[in-house]
Structures are given as C-alpha cells and as structure tokens.
Amino acid sequence: GAVVSQHPSWVICKSGTSVKIECRSLDFQATTMFWYRQFPKQSLMLMATSNEGSKATYEQGVEKDKFLINHASLTLSTLTVTSAHPEDSSFYICSARFEGRPETQYFGPGTRLLVL
Amino acid sequence: GESVGLHLPTLSVQEGDNSIINCAYSNSASDYFIWYKQESGKGPQFIIDIRSNMDKRQGQRVTVLLNKTVKHLSLQIAATQPGDSAVYFCAENIRDDKIIFGKGTRLHILP
C-alpha cells in the first residue's frame, strides 16, 4: 500500500511552453501533497506544500506564478511549469501524506523535465 | 539555507563491510528524522526513521543513531551489498510539518 505515482515519468518540451505533471496517491487519500525539485547531484529542495481544496504554500524563492499547483482532490495534485525555460530542466518529485504525521508521507518516482 | 547537512559527499566501502553515513542538523526543534535511499533516476525510498525521544532504532541491516546533544544523526548499514549503492539523504521534520532534506552522501560499494 501507500503508492504514489507521477505522470509523465519524463518529458521534453520546447522553451516557452507549459508542462503539467500529475501526482496521484493510488491507494490512499492525501490531505497534503508536497512538490520537490532536484538538480543533478544535488538534494531535494521543497518547492511547495498543497492541501486539498486550498491554495498551495510556496517556499521562499519559488515563483508561484511560474509553478502552478492544483490539489483539486484527495488523490491528485498537479504541478504546471509555465513558460518553461532550460533552467527549469530538473527532476520533479512529489510526495503525499494521508495524516498529519510525516510517518505517513510517501514519495513518487519523479518526473524528469528537459526544456530545450 | 539548509538546516541539515552531511559530512562526506562520497563514501566507498568494501562489499561485506559495514557502512556508516553521518549527518549533522542545526535545528534543535526538529523532532523526527528520516533516512532515505535514492537510486539514479528514482524517487527517495524510505529506509528508517527515528523520533527525537529515542537515540537508537534498528531495522533490517540498518541502524539509526541520534545524538541530540551534538545534533548528529548516523545511518549504519551492516554487511554492505552491491544493491546498497545509492545516494543516502537524511531528512528532518519539525512539529509534523514539512520534510527537509540534507545534502546527500553517495555510497559506492567496492567489489
């Protein structure tokens, strides 16, 4: 149990286009979902926290107008990278938590984004 | 900046030996710590966790030690195997809020 999926697993897009990444909790309802970004040979950096039905809370330095997060249901959150540029190329990882405790947080497999 | 850091970016260990990966954290309010394993191109995989009211916890072939006095966390892997090759991250959580990751250590297994 406690499986989190992401779609797509990888995506290549042209500069200036928008890309949507989906994060789904497959066998539980996630009250909170998190989005992380990871550049090569670096750690995971938290981008934002989203609660179902409310606006996401963004970490300092993350542009909310560029990284649109929607958490419309208890099993789905989406991250849209708007007007993507090559510097947005990264590994995006989501996680989902079904209770308030971090012990109930599970990570997705990640989405590799390459912007040409 | 990051409140969790690691002493060694790369650790090479002979197959069969024990591995010890260290981590220093700076936030004394952290009350929950986790070790994750990340293989290339994959998401982080939970290994073991520990609450701040404990100083040691054991799992299958892994042990986590927590020293709150010096804000130090370590992961011990017994009888290291080739499949243990990965990057290991310590992470912390404050008051059941978000999980923040440390810098990571790459574990390389020597044949």
Side-chain angles (χ1 to χ4, degrees), chain B residues 58-73:
Chain B
Q58 287 184 292
Q60 188 178 15
R61 277 203 311 121
V62 294
T63 301
V64 55
L65 299 178
L66 174 63
N67 186 330
K68 294 181 288 294
T69 302
V70 295
K71 297 179 187 171
H72 184 267
L73 195 68

Side-chain angles (χ1 to χ4, degrees), chain B residues 4 6 8 10 23-25 31 33 37 40 43 46 52 56 59 62 78 81 84 86 104 106 108 110:
Chain B
V4 180
L6 293 174
L8 299 173
T10 304
C23 175
Y25 66 95
D31 56 8
F33 304 88
K37 172 185 181 182
S40 181
F46 172 91
S52 58
K56 181 179 180 179
V62 294
Q81 303 169 357
D84 294 328
R106 178 171 297 281
H108 177 61
L110 301 170

